[in-house]
Amino acid sequence: MAGQGGNPKWNEKLKFRVEYPGSGDDYKLTFRVMDHDTFTADDFLGQTTIHVDDLLSLGVENGSYDMRTTKYRLDAANGNYCGDIKIGVKFTCEAMTVDDEDDDDIGGWKDSDYE
């Protein structure tokens, strides 16, 4: 976020498709924080993982569920602490239709290639 220094605010809304209950039991969101470089490759800054099992089960049971904004630890590639990120998540249960299967709005940052 240009001009925001070390305290950027994204306030982004992302939409993800989830199959719940699915074949696995490890429901999680992993957020990777990258910087943006104009002339060189973007740099990986850190990542955090949020386990959302309860969010999904309560959302399915009640039709929706809000997970309040919480501070999560960011870890660098070497596993060391490198900062914090605040994330709030809302799950809304919606039936998927045939038209939704090719929805380009599903997912996150399409330019991310960090593994």
Side-chain angles (χ1 to χ4, degrees), residues 14-62:
L14 304 173
K15 183 177 180 181
F16 299 93
R17 184 175 292 130
V18 177
E19 181 181 334
Y20 183 84
S23 59
D25 61 354
D26 189 24
Y27 296 96
K28 61 185 176 183
L29 294 173
T30 299
F31 290 88
R32 292 185 175 105
V33 179
M34 310 285 289
D35 77 347
H36 177 72
D37 295 320
T38 303
F39 300 108
T40 60
D42 295 345
D43 299 313
F44 171 76
L45 300 177
Q47 77 177 26
T48 194
T49 299
I50 302 172
H51 294 274
V52 293
D53 303 60
D54 292 340
L55 172 78
L56 295 175
S57 64
L58 289 168
V60 168
E61 182 178 318
N62 300 316

Side-chain angles (χ1 to χ4, degrees), residues 65-108:
Y65 186 75
D66 283 309
M67 194 170 79
R68 65 180 176 82
T69 301
T70 305
K71 183 168 55 172
Y72 294 92
R73 169 191 169 111
L74 283 176
D75 292 321
N78 64 6
N80 290 337
Y81 170 81
C82 65
D84 297 308
I85 186 169
K86 292 180 182 177
I87 300 172
V89 180
K90 178 178 182 176
F91 174 79
T92 303
C93 189
E94 296 178 1
M96 191 173 98
T97 65
V98 175
D99 293 337
D100 292 336
E101 290 182 13
D102 295 323
D103 193 343
D104 289 335
D105 294 334
I106 303 297

